Amino acid sequence: MEERLNAGKSKGGRPVKKIKREKIIMVRLSKTDHFMIEGKANKAGIKISEWFRQAAKAGKVSPRISPEDLKVFRILAGMANNLNQLTKLSHEQGLLVFQKKCRELIGEIHELIAKYFRE
């Protein structure tokens, strides 16, 4: 009979959390990094773990340069070298030759940039 009376009552204790955090990530920091992060968390009025959660959600990580991107950068560097050679050519042979070669090079650059940003 006592069991029926206590059936509607809660057992007491800490309420169950709506979001249960079950996974743990370990991070090694230098003393300087820890001091800096601890200061930022204190300034925000939150714990270090909460600061990390918010930073991880809001942060943006740039991917490493892919081999394809590296290839594009090498091509652009080569084009910059060509532009320097064209400048020298304009001083030696005149502006008409320089203008023609510059237009060709600018066309190539525009195609390369358009291809790069389409992907």
Side-chain angles (χ1 to χ4, degrees):
M1 186 146 147
E2 238 180 85
E3 289 178 18
R4 276 196 233 163
L5 294 175
N6 291 333
K9 291 185 179 182
S10 66
K11 292 169 70 175
R14 186 174 185 168
V16 178
K17 290 186 176 184
K18 293 179 183 178
I19 299 173
K20 189 173 183 182
R21 294 188 176 113
E22 299 171 335
K23 300 293 181 184
I24 297 173
I25 297 176
M26 303 287 268
V27 179
R28 289 188 183 270
L29 301 171
S30 66
K31 288 180 182 180
T32 306
D33 290 341
H34 184 269
F35 181 75
M36 181 185 67
I37 291 169
E38 186 177 37
K40 289 181 178 185
N42 287 338
K43 189 175 180 181
I46 56 178
K47 293 181 180 180
I48 293 176
S49 56
E50 183 59 31
W51 185 89
F52 265 105
R53 278 187 216 100
Q54 289 182 17
K57 290 176 187 174
K60 181 183 177 194
V61 177
S62 300
R64 291 187 179 189
I65 297 174
S66 68
E68 295 83 24
D69 292 343
L70 208 52
K71 184 178 176 183
V72 170
F73 293 141
R74 280 194 198 107
I75 292 170
L76 285 173
M79 288 180 171
N81 187 31
N82 290 344
L83 186 58
N84 287 335
Q85 291 172 1
L86 286 172
T87 303
K88 183 180 177 186
L89 182 68
S90 74
H91 292 291
E92 293 173 356
Q93 295 183 4
L95 290 175
L96 290 176
V97 174
F98 174 74
Q99 181 184 19
K100 180 182 176 193
K101 298 225 179 207
C102 277
R103 288 187 183 192
E104 291 171 3
L105 185 59
I106 288 170
E108 289 178 30
I109 291 170
H110 281 295
E111 287 175 17
L112 187 64
I113 290 173
K115 180 182 175 186
Y116 180 74
F117 284 108
R118 261 185 273 145
E119 294 176 354

